[in-house]
Amino acid sequence: MDKSWIDWGTRCSKPYYEKLDEFLSFASASRDISSRIYCPCRKCENRDLFVIDIVREHLRDNGFWKKYKIWEKHGESRDYDGSLHREEVLLGSDDYMDVDMVRLVQEALGTAHVARPDAENGGEENSDPLAGNPNESTKEFLKLMKGANQPLYPGSKKHTALSFIVRILEAKVSNGWSDTSFKDLLDIFEESMPEGVNLPKSYNEAQKLTEDLGFTYYTVDACPNSCMLFRNGSDADLNNCLICNASRWKDNDVDGGLELGSGLGKRRAAKQARYFPLKPRLQRLFMSSKTATLMRWHAEKRTADGVFRHPADSHAWKDFDSKHSSFAADIRNVRLGLASDGFNPFRTMTIPHSTWPVILVPYNLPPTLLMKQPYIYLSVLIDGPQAPGDKIDVYLQPLIEELKELWEEGVQTFDASSNQMFQLYAGLLWTINDFPAYANLSGWSTKGEYACPNCNSETDSVWLDNGHKLGFGSGRRFSPEDHKYRRDAKSFNGLREYRQAPPTLSGVDLLTQIQSNGVITQYKKEDMLTRQEMGPERPEKDPLKKKKHNWKKKSIFYELPYWQHNLIRHNLDVMHVEKNVCDNVLGTIMGAAGKTKDNLRSRRDLEAMGIRKQYHVKEREDGTKYFEPADFEMKNDGKDKFLLALSQSRMPDGSASNIARRVRLKGRTIGGLKSHDNHTLLQQLIPLCIRSSLPKNVVEGLIDLGKFFKVLCSKLNCAADLEEARSRIIVTLCDLEKIFPPSFFDVMEHLPIHLAEEALIAGAVQFRWMYPIERYLLTLKQYVRQRAHPEASIANGYLMEECMNFCSQYLKDMGCKSNRPLRRKNDEDNSKKGKTFLLLDVTRTQIHRWVLFHTDAVTPYLKEHMSTIKNQYPNANDVDVARIHFDEFADWFKAHVSFLQNMGDVSLSEEILALSNPPSPSAARLKSYTSKGHFFRVKSVDNKRTRQNSGVSLQGDTLPYYGSLTEIIKISYSIDIKYVLFRCEWADPSAGVKKDPFNFTLVNFRRLLYQNDRVRDEPFILASQAHQVWYIPDPSGEGWLNVSEVESKDFSHVQFDTSDEMESVVAMLGKKRKVGRPRHMSEFLSPSGSTSTHNGSSSSQSSYTSIRPPLIPPAPLPSPPQPTPPSTLPLPAPNAQPQPTSNIISRGHNKGIPEWNTGEKVNIMFDSKFQPVGERATQLKSQLGKIVRDGRRIPLTIMDWKSVDDKVKEGIWNEVKTNLVDVPEGYKPVCLKSCNYLWKDHKSKTKSNYFVPNKSNPELSSMVPPNIIANQWTVLVAYWNTEDAKAIATRNSINRETRGPSHNTGRKNFAQLRYEMEQSGEESDKFSVWKKARKESNPEVAQVINEYNRKLLLVRPVEDQKLTAVKDRVFHDVMGEDGHGYCRTYGSTMPRNLVYPQEPLETASSNDLIAKITEEVTEKLKESFDKKLEDAIKMLQAQIANNMDCTIAQGGRNTIAHGLGEGA
C-alpha cells in the first residue's frame, strides 16, 4: 500500500483525503462502524483508541505519525520473506499480538521450518499438517504456530496462548519470581479466566518454550581436577580420568562406581561444564528482522573519520580485514571478543566457591548495543568450587572447535534484512580479562620477574631484599634516548639508563618462542600425560639454569588458524589497572596502615640502594630508630582538608557511588571503594582535592596520572591524542619514580606504559575492559535459586532470560533488557511531564532569540542578515555588527519569511514558517531532563539530593561559560516543532571564573553574568547544547568551586547524527484571491518580469544551500557595547556599485525610544484628543517610523496602506501597548494613521532619492540602496517602470504643485507643538499653531498671515477677535475647510471625529460673488504666483468690504484660501 502521503506537507488537498480514506478502510476492515481503532496521529501515536470518525479528524488536523511505517496496529504484518499480508495471520479484527508471535516463531526457528503450500499438489495446503508424518522439528514448529494463532481462551481478542506465556515468563525473569509463586499465579489465572483457557500447568511446562524456540545447552562431565572432558566417543563412557585417574563421579564406591538400576539412584558427575552452542545464537541475530540490519552497522553507518568510536575504527580490525580479505568481503561476517572471569555465586566469601563463565561478544553491533547484556552470550559455564586455572583450555575445546568451523566452513544463515540465505563466518579478535585471568588464557604467567606480558622476557624488575618483593620502576627505559632522565642516576635508582625499550613481539614471534622453549599445551591428552609424569614444576634456584621466560603453556587459541596474526590477542584490562593504581596512590599519600608503600622496609631498601638519604632510617640518642615523614604523605591537617573536600563532593547521577559515605573524618580514613569509585577518584577527585595538602611536585605528578587515564577512557579518541598520552605517561611515571619509593612500583604501576599503545592498536577501551563483564557476572549470580546446584540454576536462568530478550522484541509494549529505557527516562518521556504556565514577554523574547541563533535551518538567514549589515555599514566594526545583528534579527526574520511567503516561495519549510513567529506563550516547566546521556535536574530540587545534576557548561566562541541550572522550560512553535531550554545562573567569565596555578578552573556564583532579568540578557540555552559539569568546594573557600567535566555514558551522540532535522520541504500553495484592486506591485508585472528569490538576488535558484554550523554556534556577546552613531556609518551613494545584500536594518540606533522591546515600559503623555505630547512624544513618532520602515514587516512592494494585512497592523498596535504605560485605546486610530503617512513618506523618499536619479541605468535593479531589501528593490524598480506607475506619478505631481507652503516641524507633531505653546502661555488656536509651524520669511506664508490679520480686523465686535472659535473661523476663511480625512493644524493622523464631534452645519446663505472670485483666483494660482495674484486679492478685498456683514455673519465657507491649503 502506498504510504508516501503521510509525508505530504499539506493536509488540505483532495488526494490527501483520498489516501486517508484508503487507510481507514484498510484499518477498519471486518469491523463495524462503531468499533474503535488506534489513532496514529502525531499527538496520539497509537496510544489511544477512538471511533473511525474521530481518527479521521485527528489525522486531518494533526497529521500522520511519520515514524509509523509498518501499520501493525491496523492489520499490517510482515512474514518471513518480507512481504506484507493481512489475511494469512489475523485471527480477528482486533488481534495484533498474534502477528508478532507468528513472526517470532518463524524467525527464531529459521525459514526452513516455515510451512508453505505444497508445490507438488498445485499449491494447495494440506488441511492436516500432521498427516504427512512430519519430523520432530516440524512438529515443534507446528505446535508453536498453533500457539501463536490460538486465542488464549475462546473469544480472546488481546492475547494468544503463546503471547500470554511469553509475557508472564518475561515478568518472572524481570522480577525474580520463584517457581512456586509462578505456579500459584498460573492457578489464579486458570480459576479467573473463562473455560477453555490454554495455560501451562507449571513453570516446568512453561519453560519448555525456550527449548521449543531453539534456546538450549548441553552438559559435559569433566575430571574433578580439570584434566579432561568425558565426551566424544570412548571418552564419554569412562568412569575415571585418563590423566590423574580421579573418579568421574561424586558417589564413588570401591569397585568403580554405581551402576544405573542398582537401586541407589543415578550417579552424579563430580564436575561439569555447560556448553551453549554459538552457531544458533549468531544465526538468530540475522534471522530476526529486529537485529539483522544492526549487524551491518559497522560497515554501512559507521563514520570513518579517524576517531576511535567503535572496534571497527581500530587498526586491529582493519589489519584483520586486510590479512583475510575473503572473510572481510562479506560485511555480515561476525567479529567476536571473548571474556572470562570467576565469581562466587553465593554472594559471600565465607563459602569458597569459584564459578567460571566464558562469554562472547559480537562486535558488529552499533556502540549503543555493544557490550550490553542482551548481546553478551554465555558460551561455557564451568562448575566450581575450584577455579580451572591454567587448565581452562580443557573446557574451551568445544568452543574452539566451533570457532574453527565458523572460520573454515561457516554456516548457512537466513538474512532477514536482505531476504536471502548466505554463508556466515566468524572470527575471534581478542580476549578481555583481568590480570590473573590473562595468564590463564594466554599461557604467560603474570607473576615473577617477567610479569609483564608485553615486555616479555625483557621485563625490567629488581628484587627488593628488605621489602621481599619485586619492583618494576624503570620507566626511563621507554623514554627517548636523549631524555635528561636517562642520565639522572641520583633521582632514580643510582644508575644511568642506556637500554632501549623492549621490542613488541608479534603473535608469530610469540609462537616461535613457545615452540623453541618446548612449551606444551595444557589440554591435549598426550601433553597432559607428559605434565603428569614430570610432576609440578619447581622454581630453579641455579641462575644459569633458570628459564628466561614466563610461559606456562601453549594457549589453545593457537588452534585458530588466524590467531597468531592478530595484532592484539589478549587485552590488558584498564579497569583493574586503574583500580590497583588508585588504591596504591590513595593508601600511600594517606599513610594508611597496611596499605601504604612507605614503611620501615621500604626505607631500608632506599638505604641499600644508596639514594634519597633524607628518607633513610635514623637513630636517636637513646638508640631508637625513626625516619622522617615523606613529602608525598599528607600531614594531619592535609588529610583533614582532603577528606573534607571528598565528603562535600556531590557527583552527578551514575558517576560513582556516594563517595562521601566512604569517608571517615574522625579516623582520617577512606575505604570500601568500588572499582568505579577508583575510576572517579583517580581521574577527578584526587587531582582536585590534594592541591592544598601535598607539595607541588607530588600534585603535578598525580594530576598528570589522572589526565592520562582520562584521555585513555574517553569515548572519542584519535591517534594523535593517544600518541601524546603514550609519550606523556612515560614522563609521568618517571616523575613519580623520583617521588615514591621503589616498593611503590609493582607490576600494576608499570602496565600504564602499555595501555596507550594497546589503545592505538585496538581502539576505544570501552569495548575492551571488564566493567560490562563484571556487571554481567552479577546478573548471573542473581540467577542462583538452588544453592546446592548454583551452576544449573545459572544455566536455566540465563536460557530463560535470553529467550525472553529475543521474544520481547516482538511485543512492543513489553519491557525487557533489550528495550528497557535508561535508568533515567529519556528526553521524550521526561518532556511530556511538567506544569503549564505562561511565559513572560521578556522570557519569551529571550527564548525566541536564542532558538533562532542556534537552529541549523535558520543559519542561512543569519548569514544573510549579517551580510546585509556589513554592506549597509561598511565602516562598522565587528562589535557594532554583532550588536545590530543581535537586536534586529528576530524582527527581520519574521518580516522576511512573511514576504517570501507572500511572494509564493515554495522552498519555505514548516520549520522556518513556525520559527518566524515567537513560540506559544503557553509553556511547560520541568524539574529534570535527560539530554545526550546526561541527567539534569534543577537546582532547587538538586540541593535536597545527595547527587549534583544542576551543573551546566556551554562552550562559547572564545571561552566556556559555567552555570547552575535553575529552570527547565519546554516551548512549542507548532505540533511538531518543540524545544527544551535550560535557564541558568551563569558565572561572569571575567570576574567569576579563574584558573589556579595547576590550570584547574574555578567558578564563583557570587559573581553572576546577569544580575537582572533584562530583555537583552541570555540566560537560556538549548538542552542539546548543555554539557554537564559538577562543582566541588575549593579548600580556599570564599565561594570558589572547582569545575569537573562529566563524560556521557551514552553512545548515542557518537553513533548517529542526533540533530533533530525537520521533515521535507512544504510547497506553499498560492491562495486564490477575489478579483479587485491590486494589493501588491508584483500583480502589475508581467510573468516574464524579473523574479526574486528568497536569497535576495534575481536567480533561478529555489532552495537554500544547506550550511551546517558548528556543534554549538558561538553565543552572541553577553553585553554588547552601545552602537556607533549612524553619522559615523556613511551610507552608499545612490549610484553606488551593486551591493550583495538582501536585508534591511532599521534607521540609526539613536532614533526612537531606547527602552523599546527591553521589557521596560515607557510613560507617554496624551492630550484630550489622544495625541502624544510631552518630552517623549517625538521619540514615539520616531519609533513608529522605525517600525514602518522595516521592509521585513511592511514590504514597500505593497500598493497602499489599505493592502497591509490587518494582522500586521494589529501587531504594531500590540507592540505599542506592550511598550507604553497605560496607553489609551483611543490612540489606536491615531497610531495607525501615523504609521500610514510615515510608511508612504518612506516609499516616496526611496523613489525620489534612488530611483529617479538613476532610472536610465540598466543595472538599476541590482543597485540596492541602503535600508532596502534587495528582492523588494527589484520589484519596486520593475513596477515604477510600468505605465500604471508612471500615470499615478504624474497625477501625484500635479497635486503636489497645488499644495501650499509646507511646515518645518520635523519629527515634532502638531499636538506636541500645541502642547508646548500652551505650556509657555502662547495662544494655541489653529492659526497660531499654523504660523508657529512655518517660516514667516517664506513669501507664501507671509501672504497668508497678512490676509488672516486683515480679515480678523474686520470682525465686529472687537471683543470677538479674542475668541478662539472666531479665530478658527477666520483661519478657515483664509485657508479653506478641512479636506476628507484630515484636520488642519492637527496633523494628518488626527481623525475628524476627535476634532469635530459633530460636523458643522452648512451656512444659511452664501455669497455668489465670492464663489465666482474664488474660482477665478484659484485658476490663476495654478499657473504661477505673480503680480496678478496681488491684483486679484485686492479686488477680492474690495468686494469683501462691500459684503462684510454677509461673509462674517454667515461664515462663508467658499473663499479664495481654498486654493492655498496645505494640500490639494
Side-chain angles (χ1 to χ4, degrees), residues 622-635:
D622 58 0
T624 58
K625 302 294 180 67
Y626 74 98
F627 51 84
E628 297 289 345
D631 293 339
F632 53 79
E633 183 177 335
M634 297 179 187
K635 309 300 186 290

PDB file of all heavy atoms in Angstrom, residues 622-635:
ATOM      1  N   ASP A 622      68.868   7.729  72.269  1.00  0.00           N
ATOM      2  CA  ASP A 622      68.539   6.588  73.133  1.00  0.00           C
ATOM      3  C   ASP A 622      68.574   5.265  72.380  1.00  0.00           C
ATOM      4  O   ASP A 622      68.206   4.224  72.931  1.00  0.00           O
ATOM      5  CB  ASP A 622      67.175   6.781  73.784  1.00  0.00           C
ATOM      6  CG  ASP A 622      66.082   6.957  72.747  1.00  0.00           C
ATOM      7  OD1 ASP A 622      66.385   6.932  71.528  1.00  0.00           O
ATOM      8  OD2 ASP A 622      64.911   7.130  73.130  1.00  0.00           O
ATOM      9  N   GLY A 623      68.977   5.303  71.107  1.00  0.00           N
ATOM     10  CA  GLY A 623      69.118   4.070  70.353  1.00  0.00           C
ATOM     11  C   GLY A 623      67.885   3.673  69.550  1.00  0.00           C
ATOM     12  O   GLY A 623      67.941   2.717  68.774  1.00  0.00           O
ATOM     13  N   THR A 624      66.784   4.395  69.729  1.00  0.00           N
ATOM     14  CA  THR A 624      65.574   4.054  68.962  1.00  0.00           C
ATOM     15  C   THR A 624      65.726   4.522  67.519  1.00  0.00           C
ATOM     16  O   THR A 624      66.397   5.516  67.232  1.00  0.00           O
ATOM     17  CB  THR A 624      64.336   4.699  69.591  1.00  0.00           C
ATOM     18  OG1 THR A 624      64.529   6.126  69.645  1.00  0.00           O
ATOM     19  CG2 THR A 624      64.110   4.152  70.987  1.00  0.00           C
ATOM     20  N   LYS A 625      65.100   3.791  66.623  1.00  0.00           N
ATOM     21  CA  LYS A 625      65.165   4.093  65.196  1.00  0.00           C
ATOM     22  C   LYS A 625      63.904   4.877  64.776  1.00  0.00           C
ATOM     23  O   LYS A 625      62.808   4.633  65.293  1.00  0.00           O
ATOM     24  CB  LYS A 625      65.245   2.791  64.380  1.00  0.00           C
ATOM     25  CG  LYS A 625      66.447   1.911  64.744  1.00  0.00           C
ATOM     26  CD  LYS A 625      67.761   2.562  64.383  1.00  0.00           C
ATOM     27  CE  LYS A 625      68.954   1.674  64.743  1.00  0.00           C
ATOM     28  NZ  LYS A 625      69.007   0.467  63.949  1.00  0.00           N
ATOM     29  N   TYR A 626      64.118   5.784  63.861  1.00  0.00           N
ATOM     30  CA  TYR A 626      62.970   6.537  63.327  1.00  0.00           C
ATOM     31  C   TYR A 626      63.327   7.001  61.915  1.00  0.00           C
ATOM     32  O   TYR A 626      64.480   6.950  61.500  1.00  0.00           O
ATOM     33  CB  TYR A 626      62.645   7.735  64.218  1.00  0.00           C
ATOM     34  CG  TYR A 626      63.628   8.879  64.102  1.00  0.00           C
ATOM     35  CD1 TYR A 626      63.354   9.974  63.290  1.00  0.00           C
ATOM     36  CD2 TYR A 626      64.854   8.844  64.789  1.00  0.00           C
ATOM     37  CE1 TYR A 626      64.263  11.011  63.171  1.00  0.00           C
ATOM     38  CE2 TYR A 626      65.766   9.871  64.677  1.00  0.00           C
ATOM     39  CZ  TYR A 626      65.472  10.966  63.862  1.00  0.00           C
ATOM     40  OH  TYR A 626      66.373  11.975  63.720  1.00  0.00           O
ATOM     41  N   PHE A 627      62.329   7.461  61.201  1.00  0.00           N
ATOM     42  CA  PHE A 627      62.596   8.065  59.896  1.00  0.00           C
ATOM     43  C   PHE A 627      61.648   9.247  59.703  1.00  0.00           C
ATOM     44  O   PHE A 627      60.523   9.276  60.219  1.00  0.00           O
ATOM     45  CB  PHE A 627      62.454   7.053  58.746  1.00  0.00           C
ATOM     46  CG  PHE A 627      61.169   6.283  58.740  1.00  0.00           C
ATOM     47  CD1 PHE A 627      60.015   6.801  58.162  1.00  0.00           C
ATOM     48  CD2 PHE A 627      61.117   5.004  59.307  1.00  0.00           C
ATOM     49  CE1 PHE A 627      58.839   6.080  58.147  1.00  0.00           C
ATOM     50  CE2 PHE A 627      59.935   4.284  59.284  1.00  0.00           C
ATOM     51  CZ  PHE A 627      58.793   4.822  58.706  1.00  0.00           C
ATOM     52  N   GLU A 628      62.120  10.222  58.943  1.00  0.00           N
ATOM     53  CA  GLU A 628      61.365  11.448  58.723  1.00  0.00           C
ATOM     54  C   GLU A 628      60.144  11.164  57.836  1.00  0.00           C
ATOM     55  O   GLU A 628      60.199  10.321  56.932  1.00  0.00           O
ATOM     56  CB  GLU A 628      62.250  12.492  58.035  1.00  0.00           C
ATOM     57  CG  GLU A 628      63.457  12.928  58.850  1.00  0.00           C
ATOM     58  CD  GLU A 628      63.038  13.779  60.039  1.00  0.00           C
ATOM     59  OE1 GLU A 628      61.877  14.255  60.046  1.00  0.00           O
ATOM     60  OE2 GLU A 628      63.860  13.950  60.952  1.00  0.00           O
ATOM     61  N   PRO A 629      59.042  11.863  58.107  1.00  0.00           N
ATOM     62  CA  PRO A 629      57.875  11.706  57.229  1.00  0.00           C
ATOM     63  C   PRO A 629      58.226  12.103  55.793  1.00  0.00           C
ATOM     64  O   PRO A 629      58.986  13.047  55.566  1.00  0.00           O
ATOM     65  CB  PRO A 629      56.837  12.646  57.835  1.00  0.00           C
ATOM     66  CG  PRO A 629      57.295  12.876  59.243  1.00  0.00           C
ATOM     67  CD  PRO A 629      58.797  12.797  59.221  1.00  0.00           C
ATOM     68  N   ALA A 630      57.677  11.404  54.863  1.00  0.00           N
ATOM     69  CA  ALA A 630      57.957  11.679  53.457  1.00  0.00           C
ATOM     70  C   ALA A 630      57.103  12.839  52.957  1.00  0.00           C
ATOM     71  O   ALA A 630      56.003  13.095  53.454  1.00  0.00           O
ATOM     72  CB  ALA A 630      57.680  10.435  52.616  1.00  0.00           C
ATOM     73  N   ASP A 631      57.619  13.557  51.954  1.00  0.00           N
ATOM     74  CA  ASP A 631      56.875  14.682  51.380  1.00  0.00           C
ATOM     75  C   ASP A 631      55.590  14.227  50.699  1.00  0.00           C
ATOM     76  O   ASP A 631      54.634  15.002  50.590  1.00  0.00           O
ATOM     77  CB  ASP A 631      57.753  15.417  50.370  1.00  0.00           C
ATOM     78  CG  ASP A 631      58.929  16.119  51.039  1.00  0.00           C
ATOM     79  OD1 ASP A 631      58.830  16.374  52.256  1.00  0.00           O
ATOM     80  OD2 ASP A 631      59.937  16.385  50.348  1.00  0.00           O
ATOM     81  N   PHE A 632      55.569  13.001  50.207  1.00  0.00           N
ATOM     82  CA  PHE A 632      54.385  12.526  49.472  1.00  0.00           C
ATOM     83  C   PHE A 632      53.280  12.036  50.405  1.00  0.00           C
ATOM     84  O   PHE A 632      52.234  11.608  49.928  1.00  0.00           O
ATOM     85  CB  PHE A 632      54.772  11.410  48.491  1.00  0.00           C
ATOM     86  CG  PHE A 632      55.538  10.273  49.116  1.00  0.00           C
ATOM     87  CD1 PHE A 632      54.888   9.288  49.843  1.00  0.00           C
ATOM     88  CD2 PHE A 632      56.920  10.188  48.973  1.00  0.00           C
ATOM     89  CE1 PHE A 632      55.592   8.238  50.411  1.00  0.00           C
ATOM     90  CE2 PHE A 632      57.629   9.147  49.541  1.00  0.00           C
ATOM     91  CZ  PHE A 632      56.971   8.163  50.267  1.00  0.00           C
ATOM     92  N   GLU A 633      53.504  12.062  51.718  1.00  0.00           N
ATOM     93  CA  GLU A 633      52.458  11.647  52.650  1.00  0.00           C
ATOM     94  C   GLU A 633      51.863  12.884  53.311  1.00  0.00           C
ATOM     95  O   GLU A 633      52.584  13.777  53.767  1.00  0.00           O
ATOM     96  CB  GLU A 633      53.028  10.708  53.714  1.00  0.00           C
ATOM     97  CG  GLU A 633      51.968  10.196  54.676  1.00  0.00           C
ATOM     98  CD  GLU A 633      52.543   9.218  55.685  1.00  0.00           C
ATOM     99  OE1 GLU A 633      53.575   8.584  55.378  1.00  0.00           O
ATOM    100  OE2 GLU A 633      51.970   9.094  56.783  1.00  0.00           O
ATOM    101  N   MET A 634      50.547  12.946  53.362  1.00  0.00           N
ATOM    102  CA  MET A 634      49.860  14.099  53.926  1.00  0.00           C
ATOM    103  C   MET A 634      50.067  14.189  55.433  1.00  0.00           C
ATOM    104  O   MET A 634      50.093  13.177  56.130  1.00  0.00           O
ATOM    105  CB  MET A 634      48.352  14.010  53.653  1.00  0.00           C
ATOM    106  CG  MET A 634      47.950  14.037  52.208  1.00  0.00           C
ATOM    107  SD  MET A 634      46.161  13.909  52.053  1.00  0.00           S
ATOM    108  CE  MET A 634      45.982  13.748  50.284  1.00  0.00           C
ATOM    109  N   LYS A 635      50.174  15.433  55.893  1.00  0.00           N
ATOM    110  CA  LYS A 635      50.122  15.678  57.319  1.00  0.00           C
ATOM    111  C   LYS A 635      48.661  15.621  57.771  1.00  0.00           C
ATOM    112  O   LYS A 635      47.750  15.538  56.952  1.00  0.00           O
ATOM    113  CB  LYS A 635      50.730  17.043  57.643  1.00  0.00           C
ATOM    114  CG  LYS A 635      52.113  17.268  57.046  1.00  0.00           C
ATOM    115  CD  LYS A 635      53.106  16.243  57.541  1.00  0.00           C
ATOM    116  CE  LYS A 635      54.510  16.561  57.049  1.00  0.00           C
ATOM    117  NZ  LYS A 635      54.670  16.351  55.609  1.00  0.00           N
TER     118      LYS A 635
END
